[in-house]
Amino acid sequence: MVPLIPAGTLLGLAALALGWVAVRGPLSWGSWAAALGRPVLDRPLARPLARRWKGMALDLGRPGDDPSRRLGTSLALVAGALVAGALAPVAGALLLLLAVLPPLALERDWARRNLALERDLPWTLDLLCLGVQAGLDFEVALDRSTRARSGPLAAEIQQVLSRIRMGVSRRQALVEWGERAALPPLMALTGALVQADATGGSLTPVLKAQAESVRVRQLQRSETRAQQAPVKMLFPLVFCIFPVTFLILFGPIFLSVSW
């Protein structure tokens, strides 16, 4: 005889399936998700969050990524978690965890982009410094430094060059780049370049100092991660590796004594 599955379990599984589809494609749910999240983001307290998510989407090259759709998807998942939790608490809890993923995925992608941008910065500054030392104009050297390697930094530099070609002054384009990136190494770089341009000083020592500063920052981050590794390894060691090791070592002894 086939056992009957409780209605709460079926509802929970259905809610989990819908939640997974929503998280995998939060922008494909149509206008109802945007209509659900837009009233919340239109409030004065939520407008900075909406601008932040919109800026992240633009930096990632996703102009159609509407923040209200992401928030609406999360709110729909929270409502589904409340309904499913009344009948299947485990499914409701899992669905509530899924509700965090739409905005968290955007934050994760943006953090990865910034990490890749900061990783490519010293290498690009070295090429830029070589170009300036060879006698190239700053804009020409900046363009040449992006041709050898693709990535988010190359895209940002090309955007700055496009602004300069449109008639914006170099100082204004650099200031806008630093404000848009909101990344400490880039803000320090653009500030130093603007100051050098205002005073008429040489760009070579500025570029060398900024490249060395970024490398020191990356080295410090690597050392910090290395110091955190033993703490992060403690949980899998205590709860995963040690029990299995004790079972292999003392299991045969326990079985022989008990028999």
Side-chain angles (χ1 to χ4, degrees):
M1 186 176 180
V2 180
L4 296 178
I5 301 177
T9 303
L10 289 176
L11 182 59
L13 292 175
L16 282 176
L18 290 175
W20 177 253
V21 172
V23 171
R24 293 287 293 179
L27 300 181
S28 62
W29 281 79
S31 59
W32 68 266
L36 185 62
R38 189 173 295 113
V40 179
L41 292 180
D42 286 341
R43 295 181 178 274
L45 293 177
R47 286 174 185 171
L49 181 62
R51 287 194 296 267
R52 172 179 170 82
W53 285 356
K54 191 65 176 178
M56 288 181 179
L58 291 176
D59 290 341
L60 292 170
R62 306 172 186 173
D65 194 338
D66 190 359
S68 59
R69 290 188 178 183
R70 287 188 177 272
L71 183 61
T73 302
S74 297
L75 293 177
L77 290 173
V78 170
L82 295 177
V83 175
L87 299 175
V90 176
L94 292 176
L95 195 59
L96 191 61
L97 291 177
L98 286 176
V100 187
L101 293 185
L104 189 62
L106 183 64
E107 297 277 354
R108 179 201 59 189
D109 294 342
W110 192 70
R112 288 180 177 176
R113 172 192 172 275
N114 287 343
L115 186 62
L117 192 149
E118 189 173 352
R119 185 177 59 246
D120 293 341
L121 189 56
W123 187 83
T124 304
L125 287 178
D126 289 339
L127 286 181
L128 182 59
C129 184
L130 288 175
V132 172
Q133 284 180 333
L136 294 177
D137 185 66
F138 178 74
E139 284 83 3
V140 177
L142 200 60
D143 186 35
R144 294 283 181 87
S145 65
T146 61
R147 294 182 182 179
R149 193 168 185 172
S150 60
L153 182 58
E156 288 284 343
I157 292 176
Q158 288 298 325
Q159 188 173 355
V160 173
L161 292 175
S162 299
R163 294 282 294 165
I164 295 176
R165 295 187 187 108
M166 291 171 58
V168 180
S169 64
R170 181 198 301 178
R171 187 181 307 176
Q172 182 64 27
L174 290 174
V175 170
E176 291 177 356
W177 184 24
E179 293 176 352
R180 183 178 68 253
L183 193 64
L186 274 181
M187 295 176 67
L189 173 63
T190 54
L193 290 176
V194 168
Q195 185 177 4
D197 183 68
T199 58
S202 176
L203 293 178
T204 301
V206 174
L207 296 174
K208 288 183 177 180
Q210 291 299 318
E212 184 64 25
S213 175
V214 175
R215 287 193 175 94
V216 171
R217 179 185 175 91
Q218 291 179 352
L219 180 60
Q220 292 175 349
R221 184 188 295 112
S222 300
E223 291 176 351
T224 302
R225 291 180 178 177
Q227 293 173 359
Q228 293 174 351
V231 180
K232 294 180 179 179
M233 292 172 59
L234 187 62
F235 180 82
L237 281 174
V238 172
F239 293 97
C240 299
I241 298 178
F242 285 167
V244 177
T245 303
F246 292 152
L247 183 62
I248 294 174
L249 292 177
F250 300 106
I253 301 175
F254 176 78
L255 291 176
S256 62
V257 171
S258 61
W259 285 97

